[in-house]
Amino acid sequence: SLVLIVLADQLGRSVGDMYAGALIPGLVLTALYAGYILVTSIVRPSAVPALPPEARTLRGFKLLLRVFTSLVPPLVLIFLVLGTIFIGIATPTEGGAMGAAGALLLALAKRQLSWSLMRQAMDSTAKLSSFVVFILIGSTVFGLVFRAVNGDLWVEHLLIGLPGGELGFLIVCNILVFVLAFFLDFFELAFIIVPLLGPVADKLGIDLIWFGVLLGVNMQTSFMHPPFGFALFFLRSVAPKTDYIDKITGKTIGKITTGQIYWGAVPFVCIQIIMVALVIAFPQLVDAGRDKGPSINLNDVKIEIPAFDNQEAPPPFGTPSQPEENPADDIMKQLQGK
């Protein structure tokens, strides 16, 4: 969602419209992930082993209660942030504030709210905000220098002159973003690359909401690209680096190497590339989730000008307007006449 907020800002479009356009592609992408895992579980059951019988201690109502207490609070928190923005109740800033307030209430309800936790959250927020601000300052300086030497015009003429027209432009843009995502975070891509691509897409008649969703799906690959994918780093931080003995089954579980994490991300990157192709091939995936308002056919628009009678005909163009008569002037004339 943060990617969509930044893209909406750079493209000058509504965050709510960007969320609405990304709804169906996001669900389709989730279905592709789930389908891949389902097929893998059928073809290679050893790759996705079931939970050991020794670990299945909860059944019936206790299992339902655990699922309810584990899933409902995060879903409520997600609705406070994304749902309020999506339905137009809150702006992105207000949605973030509601999410922060909801997180505080959840931590307080679970009796895990402490000063150390608050300090850690505020430190992380301050660091991330500082990173984004300095990236924005650097990208702004780069953009000013780039435009001063007419670099934006050169890029615009280069992209507009690509063979294939609109399709050729989309293919080149997605290849460029995909390759740069190996080395740059989506913040850098959004602040540096998108301002160069957005005006060209607008001149080619491409809907910027659809274009932003397309770039958002493409930029998701930056989280899984080796060697700088953030998702890979997150997995590396929680995956076991050495062999260990499972406390429940008592069996020795092998370690997970960084190479295994990298190779494991490849199928999901391929799925995201497939999703990019689907968005290009079927623009309705983005348009179906948006409320564009009533459609107006310009051929049916009629402008009717009522005809004037001779008495009501307007004076010729350039005729000085007659001043309105003042009742006081009439009274003065009558007095002077007497």
Side-chain angles (χ1 to χ4, degrees):
S1 60
L2 185 59
V3 177
L4 296 178
I5 293 175
V6 176
L7 286 175
D9 176 71
Q10 293 299 309
L11 294 173
R13 291 297 183 268
S14 168
V15 177
D17 291 341
M18 195 72 74
Y19 277 170
L23 177 63
I24 295 179
L27 294 175
V28 174
L29 186 60
T30 304
L32 292 176
Y33 288 157
Y36 166 73
I37 296 173
L38 177 62
V39 173
T40 303
S41 64
I42 297 174
V43 177
R44 289 194 305 143
S46 60
V48 283
L51 194 66
E54 297 85 353
R56 305 174 196 171
T57 57
L58 294 177
R59 298 181 184 278
F61 179 75
K62 292 183 178 180
L63 179 60
L64 180 62
L65 183 62
R66 174 67 64 84
V67 172
F68 183 80
T69 55
S70 300
L71 288 181
V72 172
L75 290 177
V76 172
L77 191 61
I78 292 173
F79 173 78
L80 287 176
V81 180
L82 302 182
T84 54
I85 300 175
F86 183 81
I87 61 180
I89 297 178
T91 63
T93 304
E94 295 169 347
M98 294 184 66
L104 289 174
L105 293 177
L106 288 179
L108 184 63
K110 293 185 177 182
R111 298 180 180 179
Q112 295 181 353
L113 185 62
S114 62
W115 172 246
S116 60
L117 182 63
M118 287 284 295
R119 183 175 180 178
Q120 179 184 359
M122 289 187 291
D123 287 344
S124 301
T125 303
K127 289 179 181 178
L128 180 59
S129 301
S130 300
F131 292 158
V132 174
V133 168
F134 276 100
I135 291 173
L136 179 59
I137 293 174
S139 63
T140 303
V141 173
F142 169 80
L144 290 175
V145 176
F146 194 70
R147 288 178 175 83
V149 296
N150 294 329
D152 56 334
L153 299 178
W154 179 82
V155 172
E156 180 179 327
H157 295 161
L158 176 65
L159 295 177
I160 291 180
L162 289 173
E166 180 180 327
L167 181 60
F169 167 76
L170 293 175
I171 293 175
V172 171
C173 285
N174 282 279
I175 293 176
L176 176 65
V177 172
F178 179 77
V179 173
L180 291 178
F182 277 90
F183 314 102
L184 299 177
D185 185 27
F186 78 91
F187 278 120
E188 288 89 342
L189 293 174
F191 289 144
I192 298 176
I193 303 301
V194 173
L196 299 177
L197 302 179
V200 181
D202 194 20
K203 287 189 175 182
L204 290 175
I206 299 175
D207 183 14
L208 291 185
I209 294 293
W210 178 85
F211 187 65
V213 173
L214 177 66
L215 292 182
V217 176
N218 196 337
M219 287 183 184
Q220 287 294 318
T221 58
S222 65
F223 292 96
M224 296 185 183
H225 275 157
F228 300 116
F230 282 124
L232 307 180
F233 293 156
F234 297 152
L235 291 175
R236 177 67 280 173
S237 65
V238 299
K241 299 180 181 179
T242 58
D243 298 342
Y244 69 98
I245 298 177
D246 186 67
K247 296 180 180 180
I248 298 178
T249 61
K251 298 180 181 179
T252 301
I253 307 297
K255 63 180 180 180
I256 297 178
T257 64
T258 303
Q260 290 175 329
I261 295 176
Y262 281 177
W263 281 110
V266 171
F268 294 96
V269 174
C270 295
I271 290 174
Q272 290 174 337
I273 296 175
I274 293 174
M275 191 65 221
V276 171
L278 289 177
V279 173
I280 295 177
F282 303 100
Q284 301 85 358
L285 292 175
V286 177
D287 297 335
R290 298 168 52 195
D291 183 14
K292 293 186 175 182
S295 59
I296 299 176
N297 187 1
L298 297 179
N299 295 326
D300 297 335
V301 176
K302 296 181 180 179
I303 300 177
E304 296 182 357
I305 301 177
F308 291 96
D309 296 334
N310 294 331
Q311 298 178 354
E312 299 179 355
F317 180 77
T319 303
S321 59
Q322 299 293 331
E324 296 182 358
E325 295 184 358
N326 192 346
D329 296 339
D330 295 337
I331 296 174
M332 292 297 296
K333 290 180 180 179
Q334 293 178 2
L335 293 175
Q336 291 175 358
K338 291 181 179 181

